[in-house]
Amino acid sequence: MTPSSPRPALRLIQGAREDESGWTWFCTQCAAVPGDAEAVSPLARVCRSCGMGVLLETPVDAAPALDDAFLVVDARLTVQALSRRAGNLLGVIEEDVVDRPVARLLGAADAETRRPADLVTAIAAACADSDEIHSLSVRPLGAFGVRVVARVSPCGPPRAALVVLDERAPWQALRVV
């Protein structure tokens, strides 16, 4: 480039994930999904609904509903976010579980299962490069005889696993104290 030639202008390039219509944003606190009129900026991703959660992307089929209980778990298998609903259902507060192993909250549904690492495997796959959504049974730590269906899918950025807990299980009888 010569000093007299104009400098090329910088422009935003659409990423591959942005071109896919199968992904949506959600709030890590309240599960709010930004409406079509609300543009989500990768630089300012704080939820406009609750003002506390960070917005992450996930496949549309895996996005939590407003009343779903869910966790965000990173590749180190540590909890990075906990929805208000999940905190209420598990009897914990987010400050006590963030950066702690997910195994302190959830475990294999059956003690006799031959595949106790299903949750770990599903989280690892979601944190790697798989866009697959897994459904499996888990149990809250310290609760025996209770099975909860967990839906594990990728989310990010940064890449992590979204674990949505199905509340059709008898949660009220489980109340961990």
Side-chain angles (χ1 to χ4, degrees), residues 58-177:
T58 194
V60 171
D61 297 342
L66 289 175
D67 58 349
D68 278 346
F70 63 90
L71 304 91
V72 175
V73 182
D74 67 9
R76 299 175 303 142
L77 301 176
T78 58
V79 176
Q80 293 303 308
L82 180 78
S83 70
R84 290 179 191 156
R85 183 83 174 149
N88 289 339
L89 292 172
L90 294 171
V92 296
I93 57 173
E94 186 176 32
E95 292 81 17
D96 291 343
V97 297
V98 168
D99 285 331
R100 303 274 193 259
V102 69
R104 291 188 180 177
L105 295 176
L106 300 172
D110 298 315
E112 296 84 25
T113 186
R114 293 179 184 238
R115 300 180 310 177
D118 277 346
L119 179 61
V120 172
T121 304
I123 290 171
C127 290
D129 59 358
S130 173
D131 287 348
E132 197 173 331
I133 300 170
H134 299 272
S135 275
L136 54 121
S137 292
V138 297
R139 69 174 175 80
L141 189 68
F144 296 94
V146 176
R147 293 179 186 195
V148 178
V149 176
R151 185 178 69 234
V152 181
S153 61
C155 69
R159 189 72 180 220
L162 171 64
V163 181
V164 179
L165 303 174
D166 186 348
E167 293 184 55
R168 289 176 276 193
W171 279 97
Q172 277 57 27
L174 134 94
R175 202 67 183 163
V176 181
V177 181

